[in-house]
């Protein structure tokens, strides 16, 4: 069943700090952490491309996917490929927008439009930065979940604070900061474009 699948491991970051793991060339997805009873939750998917559909069938929202395509990525010698997920027609809007702005920058360079080149490359960079900030935030929240003593059976919705709380807030702050920079750069570019149109 999986003989035509790419040799690619996937770690799906889920809301609440959960993780879904799909080993290379396996149709089984394993959720982390185990249940309060110590049981492992596994689901099977019919095709490689159905990973998001399979996870969403459990009622869990997806934050992003980490693709592990080479041994060097698996052992930490090189970074994994991370993409923010969106439940829309285009599931990789950040990736698509980053590529588009990079192409606009290249076209601007060929047309010798220095300002448009500079701003479009900045937007492309900021979108990449936002993508990584969301991954950092997800990993920090996962660390906090991992440190939480699940066996103490905390009350649902109960607030708590531990050694990871400040890190989660800092990662969230970094994400918001980069979001604002990206928005300001967008506005600068559109102001310039509107000024040229007049």
């Amino acid at each position: 069943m999986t003989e035509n699948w790419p040799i690619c491991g996937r770690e799906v970051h889920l809301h609440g700090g959960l993780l879904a793991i799909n080993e290379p060339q396996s149709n089984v997805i394993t959720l982390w952490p185990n249940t309060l009873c110590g049981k492992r939750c596994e689901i099977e998917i019919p095709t490689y491309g159905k990973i998001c559909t399979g996870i969403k069938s459990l009622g869990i929202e997806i934050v992003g996917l980490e693709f592990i395509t080479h041994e060097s990525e698996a052992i930490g010698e090189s970074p994994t490929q991370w993409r923010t997920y969106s439940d829309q027609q285009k599931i990789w809007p950040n990736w698509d927008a980053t590529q588009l702005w990079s192409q606009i920058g290249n076209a601007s360079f060929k047309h010798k439009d220095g300002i448009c080149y500079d701003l479009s490359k900045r937007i492309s960079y900021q979108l990449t930065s936002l993508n990584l900030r969301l991954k950092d935030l997800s990993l920090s929240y996962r660390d906090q979940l991992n440190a939480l003593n699940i066996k103490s059976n905390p009350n649902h919705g109960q607030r708590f604070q531990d050694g990871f709380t400040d890190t989660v807030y800092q990662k969230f702050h970094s994400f918001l900061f980069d979001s604002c920079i990206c928005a300001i750069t967008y506005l600068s570019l559109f102001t310039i474009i509107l000024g040229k149109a007049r």
Side-chain angles (χ1 to χ4, degrees):
M1 178 190 257
T2 59
E3 62 189 27
N4 294 325
W5 289 26
I7 302 175
C8 176
R10 296 174 289 182
E11 293 186 354
V12 186
H13 294 225
L14 307 171
H15 280 206
L18 301 174
L19 182 67
I21 302 164
N22 178 231
E23 297 293 335
Q25 294 190 309
S26 170
N27 68 332
V28 177
I29 300 169
T30 306
L31 292 183
W32 175 91
N34 292 341
T35 66
L36 293 174
C37 307
K39 294 182 179 178
R40 178 178 293 178
C41 179
E42 294 183 342
I43 58 172
E44 291 185 11
I45 52 175
T47 64
Y48 179 83
K50 296 289 185 183
I51 189 168
C52 295
T53 306
I55 292 169
K56 288 190 299 184
S57 71
L58 299 174
I60 304 172
E61 296 295 323
I62 298 171
V63 175
L65 279 80
E66 209 166 344
F67 296 91
I68 304 163
T69 59
H70 191 269
E71 179 186 357
S72 63
E73 295 171 356
I75 62 175
E77 287 181 350
S78 58
T80 58
Q81 299 170 37
W82 162 265
R83 289 191 186 178
T84 302
Y85 177 83
S86 176
D87 194 12
Q88 300 174 359
Q89 285 183 336
K90 292 186 175 186
I91 62 172
W92 312 120
N94 181 280
W95 171 262
D96 294 338
T98 301
Q99 298 304 308
L100 177 64
W101 281 106
S102 185
Q103 292 167 5
I104 290 170
N106 291 338
S108 299
F109 181 79
K110 289 179 183 176
H111 288 93
K112 299 185 181 187
D113 186 344
I115 293 174
C116 188
Y117 168 78
D118 180 57
L119 289 174
S120 58
K121 286 298 188 177
R122 288 175 192 256
I123 291 171
S124 177
Y125 171 80
Q126 281 306 131
L127 289 170
T128 300
S129 182
L130 275 175
N131 188 46
L132 293 175
R133 292 289 178 257
L134 187 60
K135 178 185 175 186
D136 290 344
L137 178 58
S138 178
L139 290 171
S140 295
Y141 195 67
R142 185 188 312 161
D143 288 343
Q144 187 172 41
L145 177 66
N146 192 34
L148 180 64
N149 186 359
I150 298 293
K151 293 185 177 161
S152 68
N153 201 11
N155 294 328
H156 179 70
Q158 177 184 358
R159 294 181 67 177
F160 69 93
Q161 185 170 354
D162 63 10
F164 290 98
T165 303
D166 287 341
T167 303
V168 171
Y169 284 139
Q170 288 167 358
K171 299 298 182 182
F172 186 60
H173 180 267
S174 296
F175 176 78
L176 292 178
F177 183 80
D178 277 339
S179 298
C180 291
I181 291 174
C182 194
I184 290 168
T185 309
Y186 268 121
L187 289 174
S188 300
L189 180 62
F190 289 125
T191 302
I192 291 169
I193 290 170
L194 287 174
K196 287 183 177 183
R198 293 178 183 174

